[in-house]
Amino acid sequence: MELKSSLTCWARLSEPGAKSFLLQALLGGALTFLFWLLQAAIDYFLFGGNSFYKYLLHPDRHQAAEFSLVVFLVCCLLLYSRHSHRLQAELQAALKTALDKSQDDKAKLRGIVEAMGDAISIQAPDMTIVYQNRAHVEMMGQHVGEHCYQAYRQEKKICPGCHLAAAFADGQVHRAKVSPEPVNGDRYVEITCSVLNGADGRPALGIEVVRDVTAQRLVEREAAQLNLALTRQASELKQVNRELEAFCLAVAHDLRAPLTRIYSSAQELQRYGDLLDENGRFFVSLVNDGCVQMESMIEALMILCHVTEMEMAPAAVDLAELVQELAAQLQLDNPGRKVTLRLPERLVVQGDRELLRIAMENLLSNAWKYTSHVAMPLIELGSFSSEQGELVIFVRDNGAGFDNARAEELFKPFRRLHSASEFPGTGLGLATVRRIIRRHNGQIWGDGTPGAGATFYFTVNG
């Protein structure tokens, strides 16, 4: 135990502060001893009467009091010195920790600034460059210690309209986009200037961040050119659509007049059926049927042109209600047919009611027509959410179906996958539906199996 205590005391004495205190204690003891000798010598020479050793070893009460006072003062001095050294050591340790942390933070900050893609420089209030990161050096060259207006612009004074000078003046952030001329190379840059205030609240340093926006500028330019081209094409397309509509109207008007004469003449010929043989009656009937089919095609063509140009009035439309009304009309037109209709209670979308009515009329009429050879016809209207969260609406039937490999042909004008004798029609119904769905920023596609029905899916986005 005594050995351990001795080692502990020795370890404490071995510390730098302990050694300093030991030296101070020795110095204090030496000074006290010298005072003792000096006091005895002064008393001996001034008062005499006794020997020097008498004054040294047998001092009187006054000498003992003075000596005790000196010892007390020396002890106080030693304690104060010990405390001040300890405090100094703590302050030095704290200062070293703060300096190490400051150096570490400075190294981290420098690493972050150096790793940034933007070019960064720091200027003093007199516009002297005090720091440039690697990106700034690569862009502008090494100019630390020079005035920025001399280094970058070869000017003799601060540039007029300098954004960094403005930031120093008002303490605000200033931004500017600069074309390629003022910087090296053929780059467009965006400059952001701000200031750092010192302890007195005044601007101490100015930070200038230079960002290369050449790619963004080129993309903006290409986008502007593309928008201009698209605007021009949209205008041309609009003009073409107007001309097409005018052409369709003119054709329909011009076709209807001779068609009416042909149809009227054919009907008059039917009154002379007794004068015609069997072939004559057949051809007259054929002319009548052709006129009726031609009238249907003209009407469908007029509707196709109409849905392209008519103004849209978006509103909430219940497709289930529309289909129910259309099915009731089809049932009145075909009283001998019994078709099972499966509808949701409500199926509300945003769109133009008149256009959506035309679309649903075509889809429902097709389903009604292509289930005419089925014993138990079924037509279903429904919806589901796609993986992207988009509402997908479908019209399904269990009718004749079609070959999926040729599904895209269904939406082309006058293209049919079934013969007119088997399923009569104009070939414009689904083309009209697709044009309506596209005007609602949606998509339409079909899925079918020959003899097992067909399903048409579409989306409506206003």
Side-chain angles (χ1 to χ4, degrees):
M1 190 70 177
E2 292 180 358
L3 178 60
K4 183 177 181 180
S5 299
S6 300
L7 291 174
T8 303
C9 293
W10 176 253
R12 291 178 179 175
L13 291 174
S14 299
E15 296 176 357
K19 291 180 180 179
S20 176
F21 178 74
L22 183 60
L23 291 175
Q24 290 174 359
L26 292 175
L27 179 60
L31 289 174
T32 303
F33 181 71
L34 287 175
F35 175 78
W36 186 16
L37 290 177
L38 182 62
Q39 185 184 34
I42 290 173
D43 289 342
Y44 174 75
F45 286 113
L46 290 180
F47 302 108
N50 292 320
S51 64
F52 175 76
Y53 295 103
K54 176 74 174 175
Y55 287 110
L56 180 65
L57 299 177
H58 301 284
D60 59 18
R61 289 181 299 174
H62 295 289
Q63 291 174 329
E66 293 175 354
F67 182 74
S68 299
L69 180 61
V70 170
V71 170
F72 175 74
L73 292 175
V74 169
C75 290
C76 290
L77 181 63
L78 287 174
L79 290 174
Y80 176 76
S81 176
R82 172 64 175 172
H83 176 70
S84 64
H85 275 79
R86 182 179 297 171
L87 183 60
Q88 181 181 7
E90 292 176 355
L91 290 175
Q92 288 179 346
L95 179 61
K96 185 177 183 304
T97 302
L99 288 174
D100 291 342
K101 187 175 183 304
S102 175
Q103 292 294 331
D104 185 53
D105 293 342
K106 183 178 179 181
K108 290 179 180 178
L109 181 60
R110 181 182 291 272
I112 293 172
V113 173
E114 289 294 335
M116 291 179 65
D118 297 337
I120 300 175
S121 67
I122 300 177
Q123 275 89 270
D126 63 351
M127 298 299 174
T128 301
I129 303 169
V130 297
Y131 171 77
Q132 292 176 279
N133 71 345
R134 181 173 52 200
H136 199 278
V137 172
E138 292 175 355
M139 178 182 287
M140 308 299 296
Q142 182 64 258
H143 297 289
V144 173
E146 304 177 29
H147 291 99
C148 61
Y149 50 84
Q150 291 177 340
Y152 305 150
R153 300 289 186 92
Q154 290 75 47
E155 298 284 349
K156 295 183 179 180
K157 59 181 181 179
I158 297 176
C159 306
C162 176
H163 295 83
L164 186 58
F168 273 120
D170 59 17
Q172 302 297 318
V173 177
H174 290 262
R175 292 183 175 86
K177 288 187 178 181
V178 183
S179 57
E181 290 78 15
V183 299
N184 296 333
D186 56 351
R187 291 172 289 192
Y188 290 88
V189 297
E190 182 182 64
I191 301 176
T192 303
C193 299
S194 59
V195 295
L196 290 176
N197 294 329
D200 57 357
R202 296 180 179 179
L205 293 172
I207 301 176
E208 186 178 73
V209 180
V210 182
R211 175 169 296 175
D212 189 340
V213 293
T214 304
Q216 177 184 347
R217 199 67 172 271
L218 294 176
V219 169
E220 290 176 355
R221 183 184 298 174
E222 292 177 0
Q225 293 175 351
L226 182 59
N227 285 334
L228 183 61
L230 289 176
T231 302
R232 188 183 301 113
Q233 290 179 3
S235 178
E236 293 174 355
L237 181 59
K238 191 173 183 179
Q239 182 63 29
V240 169
N241 285 333
R242 287 176 180 172
E243 293 174 357
L244 179 60
E245 183 182 17
F247 172 77
C248 290
L249 292 174
V251 168
H253 182 270
D254 293 343
L255 284 178
R256 270 191 170 137
L259 183 63
T260 302
R261 290 196 297 270
I262 296 172
Y263 185 57
S264 300
S265 300
Q267 285 184 324
E268 287 296 326
L269 282 175
Q270 284 184 335
R271 296 172 56 186
Y272 298 93
D274 296 338
L275 303 178
L276 300 175
D277 59 9
E278 186 175 351
N279 287 336
R281 287 192 295 272
F282 170 76
F283 287 121
V284 171
S285 176
L286 193 63
V287 170
N288 277 323
D289 293 342
C291 290
V292 172
Q293 187 177 5
M294 189 67 180
E295 178 65 27
S296 299
M297 293 182 68
I298 292 174
E299 188 64 31
L301 188 61
M302 294 286 290
I303 292 174
L304 183 62
C305 294
H306 175 67
V307 301
T308 302
E309 287 298 319
M310 70 173 291
E311 293 293 332
M312 292 179 60
V317 181
D318 187 355
L319 297 182
E321 181 184 353
L322 271 183
V323 170
Q324 195 167 19
E325 294 175 3
L326 294 169
Q329 185 61 47
L330 286 171
Q331 190 66 59
L332 287 175
D333 296 338
N334 302 271
R337 289 200 59 194
K338 298 295 182 182
V339 178
T340 302
L341 193 64
R342 189 176 297 167
L343 301 175
E345 290 186 5
R346 287 176 60 83
L347 182 50
V348 180
V349 296
Q350 285 292 124
D352 184 271
R353 184 177 182 83
E354 184 179 350
L355 288 178
L356 290 176
R357 184 182 184 87
I358 295 172
M360 298 309 297
E361 183 178 6
N362 279 282
L363 289 174
L364 190 62
S365 297
N366 276 353
W368 196 279
K369 176 174 60 178
Y370 287 108
T371 56
S372 60
H373 299 166
V374 178
M376 300 180 63
L378 171 65
I379 300 175
E380 179 183 3
L381 172 69
S383 65
F384 62 90
S385 293
S386 66
E387 295 180 356
Q388 293 75 27
E390 190 174 23
L391 180 67
V392 179
I393 305 156
F394 64 86
V395 176
R396 179 179 294 130
D397 65 70
N398 61 345
F402 58 86
D403 184 1
N404 258 341
R406 302 177 61 191
E408 188 60 26
E409 296 183 23
L410 290 170
F411 301 99
K412 296 179 180 179
F414 306 111
R415 299 296 293 271
R416 297 170 51 84
L417 302 186
H418 301 86
S419 65
S421 60
E422 186 179 9
F423 297 104
T426 62
L428 289 172
L430 289 178
T432 302
V433 173
R434 182 167 69 171
R435 195 162 291 188
I436 292 173
I437 296 303
R438 283 181 175 177
R439 291 205 64 189
H440 285 80
N441 302 314
Q443 295 180 338
I444 183 168
W445 65 98
D447 181 27
T449 303
T455 305
F456 289 94
Y457 304 91
F458 63 93
T459 59
V460 177
N461 300 313

